[in-house]
Amino acid sequence: ETPKNLYGEERIRECKKEDYIFVVEGEKKADYLYTEGLCAVTSGGSTTWNKSFVEVLKNRKVAVWGDNDTPGEKFAESVLNSLTKEAIKLKHIVMPSLPKGGDCEDWFLLGGTKEKLIELVKRLPDLTQRKIPFQWISRVSDLLLIEPEPARWLIEGLWTDNSCGIIGGEPKAYKTWLALEMAISISSPS
């Protein structure tokens, strides 16, 4: 059964606006991070996340940390997808060096500290600007299931807005002229 409120929700009021709120998988983990001096909440378990929890985390910095297993991956995916457009900053903590099923408590027991964790979270990419929903990729074949965004062409059929390339050829093969023509084509209104 899905709870009505996040476990530890009252702790959010204690946190400063610039603090990250850690969303973890289970009450024990949320309590552990709280004893380490971090603001942490949970929906309970790996399958109890509900989009109604988003309102509490809206306009906050959020770091999602699921357990190091398949249910943890699915939990993180669910939380990340619901917060992409709501959080100010959204980070996903993945610790592949932890044992299967390992969690935040294990990471601290292996020598992690509050300071190390905060520094790590600051260096993680911000996921609030993602254009595709978060998906956990566990096999290369999973990449085939992701629908790419349609290309935005700068030069129709030749150069997209996120292209990178090299114009190469023999000397006197008009490479400079081609580059100038492409620049004019891109900068001129259609």
Side-chain angles (χ1 to χ4, degrees):
E1 184 179 321
T2 302
K4 291 185 179 12
N5 297 316
L6 285 172
Y7 177 84
E9 190 173 308
E10 69 285 352
R11 298 172 183 166
I12 294 173
R13 290 184 280 286
E14 300 171 18
C15 299
K16 298 177 194 150
K17 248 334 194 187
E18 65 270 9
D19 290 343
Y20 275 91
I21 298 168
F22 292 83
V23 178
V24 293
E25 190 186 339
E27 293 90 345
K28 181 180 168 203
K29 293 149 198 159
D31 288 341
Y32 187 86
L33 288 181
Y34 186 69
T35 63
E36 291 291 334
L38 298 161
C39 188
V41 297
T42 185
S43 61
S46 62
T47 60
T48 56
W49 182 259
N50 185 312
K51 288 186 179 183
S52 67
F53 300 141
V54 169
E55 196 60 38
V56 180
L57 299 168
K58 201 177 226 177
N59 299 318
R60 298 300 298 253
K61 293 179 175 180
V62 179
V64 180
W65 194 348
D67 292 356
N68 194 22
D69 55 18
T70 302
E73 294 165 5
K74 291 188 182 309
F75 168 77
E77 181 179 325
S78 175
V79 177
L80 290 165
N81 282 331
S82 66
L83 287 171
T84 300
K85 292 182 173 70
E86 306 298 337
I88 290 175
K89 286 195 183 289
L90 182 61
K91 308 291 182 106
H92 181 209
I93 302 170
V94 179
M95 299 288 186
S97 60
L98 289 176
K100 187 89 171 143
D103 57 33
C104 57
E105 189 173 356
D106 295 319
W107 185 79
F108 274 91
L109 294 173
L110 291 169
T113 65
K114 175 184 175 180
E115 293 73 24
K116 286 179 186 175
L117 181 58
I118 291 170
E119 188 56 39
L120 169 82
V121 169
K122 285 180 182 176
R123 290 192 320 244
L124 290 172
D126 182 11
L127 303 176
T128 56
Q129 303 305 314
R130 282 190 331 240
K131 294 180 181 172
I132 60 169
F134 177 82
Q135 289 180 293
W136 191 265
I137 305 297
S138 57
R139 296 180 312 270
V140 173
S141 61
D142 290 346
L143 292 172
L144 300 173
L145 302 175
I146 298 174
E147 188 69 34
E149 282 189 32
R152 286 188 15 211
W153 294 101
L154 297 177
I155 301 174
E156 190 65 39
L158 180 66
W159 212 272
T160 62
D161 64 343
N162 60 358
S163 293
C164 179
I166 297 173
I167 299 172
E170 297 289 324
K172 306 285 183 200
Y174 299 99
K175 298 180 297 288
T176 303
W177 286 107
L178 175 61
L180 289 170
E181 184 65 33
M182 290 172 72
I184 291 168
S185 175
I186 292 168
S187 63
S188 301
S190 301

